[in-house]
């Protein structure tokens, strides 16, 4: 009899804290007197923790980095050189080079205008940069 009582006691000792923590967490996020916006934030943040972040593709990371360089004031010719260096270093990016160069061309037009942006054209990814400039000009 005492053996069964010990087993039940140990089971409760393991399960009870988990149940109390979970019910306490739910109670905190569902209290009726809490501001709705803050309780939604708590609930949303609890849900976001269980969802893994989507990894970004290397070409997206590179495009965003190069566009950031361009917007930070680097000359488009230098940014195009960085694109060529990255493609040379990581040949798997070659298939995305044209799209990145077009995006750089469009961003250069926004920053410098079509005539000046075209003056920075380099033979990177064929004529993709110039194509991006022409599409905006």
């Amino acid at each position: 009899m005492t053996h069964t009582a010990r087993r039940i006691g140990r089971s409760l000792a393991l399960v009870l804290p988990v149940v109390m923590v979970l019910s306490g967490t739910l109670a905190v996020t569902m209290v009726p007197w809490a501001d709705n916006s803050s309780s939604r934030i708590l609930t949303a943040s609890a849900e976001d923790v269980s969802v893994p972040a989507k990894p970004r593709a290397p070409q997206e990371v590179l495009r965003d980095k190069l566009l950031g360089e361009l917007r930070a004031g680097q000359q488009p010719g230098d940014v195009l050189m960085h694109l060529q260096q990255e493609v040379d270093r990581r040949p798997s990016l070659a298939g995305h080079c044209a799209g990145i160069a077009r995006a750089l061309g469009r961003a250069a037009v926004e920053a410098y205008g079509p005539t000046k942006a075209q003056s920075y054209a380099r033979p990177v990814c064929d004529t993709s940069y110039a194509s991006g400039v022409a599409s905006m000009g």
Side-chain angles (χ1 to χ4, degrees):
M1 185 87 164
T2 58
H3 180 68
T4 305
R6 277 191 200 149
R7 187 182 312 167
I8 292 171
R10 285 182 184 162
S11 297
L12 283 175
L14 291 173
V15 172
L16 193 57
V18 173
V19 170
M20 291 179 70
V21 167
L22 288 176
S23 64
T25 303
L26 293 175
V28 169
T29 60
M30 300 293 200
V31 289
W33 60 84
D35 179 26
N36 283 342
S37 62
S38 65
S39 66
R40 289 175 196 248
I41 292 171
L42 287 174
T43 304
S45 64
E47 291 170 3
D48 290 344
V49 170
S50 64
V51 177
K54 293 181 182 177
R56 294 181 58 211
Q59 67 272 12
E60 293 172 356
V61 173
L62 177 60
R63 182 194 64 231
D64 292 348
K65 176 185 170 234
L66 295 174
L67 287 171
E69 288 178 8
L70 190 63
R71 290 182 182 126
Q74 282 196 350
Q75 297 292 324
D78 294 338
V79 177
L80 285 169
M81 183 180 63
H82 294 157
L83 172 59
Q84 185 64 55
Q85 289 170 343
E86 285 297 315
V87 169
D88 290 344
R89 192 172 68 82
R90 296 174 58 190
S92 63
L93 294 171
H96 305 284
C97 186
I100 295 170
R102 271 192 298 280
L104 291 172
R106 289 189 293 267
V109 169
E110 291 175 9
Y112 298 99
T115 304
K116 189 167 183 183
Q118 185 61 41
S119 72
Y120 291 107
R122 302 283 184 275
V124 176
C125 310
D126 296 324
T127 59
S128 299
Y129 174 83
S131 171
V133 170
S135 72
M136 294 293 290

